[in-house]
Amino acid sequence: MHLDINGLISQYGYVALLIGCIAEGETFTLLGGVAAHEGLLHFGGVVLAAMGGGIIGDQLLFWLGRRFGTRILRRFKKHQDTIHKASRLIQRHPSLFVIGVRFMYGFRIVGPIIIGTSRLKPLRFLVLNVIGAALWALIFVTLGYFAGEIITPWLHKLDQHFKHLLWLVAAVGFAILLRYVIRRWNRRRVD
């Protein structure tokens, strides 16, 4: 069995990137840049997929914030000071906050929810979200692209050992599963 990683990336890379950027962006965006450097994906397509995922994810979180934001944010008891500071920033500089929220460490998920609770107009959020996602995608894909110079020689070495690594992971997973089944079986016997 030969697993063609490059073929999988070429075939499903944009979709995987879009989905990955809905939930968590920087890692997928950087890897997309590396794939573009390697010629597996087109740079422009990677930027558009990352941008699309970023927009969709933040739009969903914004609407979640508009509907349930206050209840959700109350659950972050330890972070109430940060949430209040962010709310004040949104009131003072809404455009900058919306564009910059995806660059702020710790605000990737909660930032759009906070913005949703601020009652910023949905159309304004959409326009600013598109601008922020475009900047974010372009910056991180470009970083990944240039990091490809450093990373790709290492990835080629890893690719040579990938089959052995896959078998090792499978063996460890099987051992953990077997241990779990045996422990569970022994507990049932004791009871």
Side-chain angles (χ1 to χ4, degrees):
M1 177 182 109
H2 177 65
L3 187 61
D4 183 18
I5 299 294
N6 293 346
L8 288 172
I9 292 171
S10 296
Q11 189 170 1
Y12 301 108
Y14 299 112
V15 173
L17 186 59
L18 181 109
I19 293 169
C21 287
I22 288 174
E24 196 283 320
E26 285 77 15
T27 304
F28 286 94
T29 311
L30 290 168
L31 289 174
V34 172
H37 177 269
E38 284 296 289
L40 299 171
L41 300 172
H42 297 285
F43 184 85
V46 172
V47 171
L48 288 175
M51 183 178 155
I55 291 168
I56 292 168
D58 283 6
Q59 285 299 134
L60 292 172
L61 292 169
F62 172 80
W63 286 105
L64 188 69
R66 275 187 85 82
R67 180 81 169 102
F68 306 106
T70 307
R71 282 189 275 178
I72 293 170
L73 295 175
R74 269 192 237 132
R75 294 176 187 238
F76 293 98
K77 293 184 189 323
K78 292 181 183 177
H79 304 286
Q80 289 304 308
D81 288 341
T82 306
I83 291 169
H84 291 302
K85 286 177 187 175
S87 296
R88 285 194 302 272
L89 275 172
I90 292 167
Q91 298 305 319
R92 279 190 252 148
H93 308 285
S95 298
L96 289 175
F97 190 85
V98 173
I99 291 171
V101 73
R102 61 184 21 100
F103 295 99
M104 296 179 202
Y105 180 76
F107 280 93
R108 180 75 174 109
I109 303 295
V110 77
I113 295 172
I114 296 169
I115 296 166
T117 63
S118 74
R119 299 297 176 210
L120 186 71
K121 291 189 184 334
L123 183 58
R124 184 173 182 190
F125 177 77
L126 175 63
V127 170
L128 295 171
N129 187 23
V130 168
I131 293 168
L135 290 170
W136 170 80
L138 190 59
I139 290 168
F140 279 93
V141 170
T142 302
L143 286 172
Y145 187 87
F146 288 116
E149 283 290 323
I150 300 163
I151 295 171
T152 50
W154 181 78
L155 286 177
H156 288 298
K157 287 180 185 174
L158 180 66
D159 189 37
Q160 293 170 355
H161 303 291
F162 184 73
K163 191 171 166 183
H164 302 292
L165 183 64
L166 188 63
W167 281 111
L168 178 64
V169 169
V172 169
F174 179 74
I176 291 169
L177 177 67
L178 186 62
R179 182 177 178 200
Y180 171 78
V181 169
I182 290 170
R183 280 186 170 184
R184 194 167 168 105
W185 183 70
N186 283 335
R187 280 190 205 136
R188 283 189 181 164
R189 276 190 20 197
V190 171
D191 292 336

